């Protein structure tokens, strides 16, 4: 009985961490070549515009998004969090370009 309870607990913990964000994450390519929309993005680190970067971000998913200066989402490149359900970045004009995003 204890083994079954532990297995159920592990399943629930692993399942909750693996869910993707629901909704849309939209940004303008930093090179000026249009807008990109990610629909129901996964929780893994995602490069924005294949290294060209992003500006004018709008997070319409149900999950907080963290944006980074580097393509690999490493901690020393953290820029900001973008709130779920309508959060935007940047709050004011900036020369900083986001190169990656991770949800959760």
């Amino acid at each position: 009985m204890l083994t079954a309870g532990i297995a159920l607990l592990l399943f629930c913990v692993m399942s909750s961490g693996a869910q993707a964000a629901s909704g849309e994450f939209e940004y303008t390519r930093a090179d000026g070549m249009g807008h990109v929309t990610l629909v129901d993005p996964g929780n893994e680190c995602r490069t924005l515009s294949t290294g060209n970067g992003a500006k004018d971000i709008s997070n319409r998913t149900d999950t907080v998004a963290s944006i980074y200066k580097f393509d690999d989402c490493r901690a020393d490149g953290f820029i900001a969090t973008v709130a779920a359900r309508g959060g935007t970045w940047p709050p004011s004009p900036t020369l900083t370009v986001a190169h990656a995003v991770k949800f959760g």
Side-chain angles (χ1 to χ4, degrees):
M1 185 70 168
L2 180 61
T3 304
I6 292 172
L8 179 62
L9 177 64
L10 285 173
F11 175 77
C12 291
V13 169
M14 292 174 69
S15 295
S16 66
Q19 292 181 344
S22 295
E24 296 180 341
F25 181 84
E26 184 177 54
Y27 60 91
T28 302
R29 289 175 50 131
D31 62 8
M33 300 300 288
H35 298 280
V36 177
T37 301
L38 306 176
V39 179
D40 298 336
N43 292 340
E44 70 278 355
C45 180
R46 297 186 60 135
T47 300
L48 300 175
S49 290
T50 316
N52 292 319
K55 58 183 184 174
D56 301 327
I57 291 171
S58 177
N59 183 14
R60 295 186 305 274
T61 71
D62 61 354
T63 306
V64 172
S66 297
I67 54 173
Y68 299 86
K69 294 179 194 176
F70 307 114
D71 292 347
D72 59 2
C73 297
R74 65 181 186 251
D76 65 339
F78 175 77
I79 298 172
T81 55
V82 183
R85 298 178 179 85
T88 59
W89 179 87
S92 60
T94 181
L95 297 177
T96 303
V97 174
H99 287 275
V101 63
K102 188 170 184 175
F103 294 87

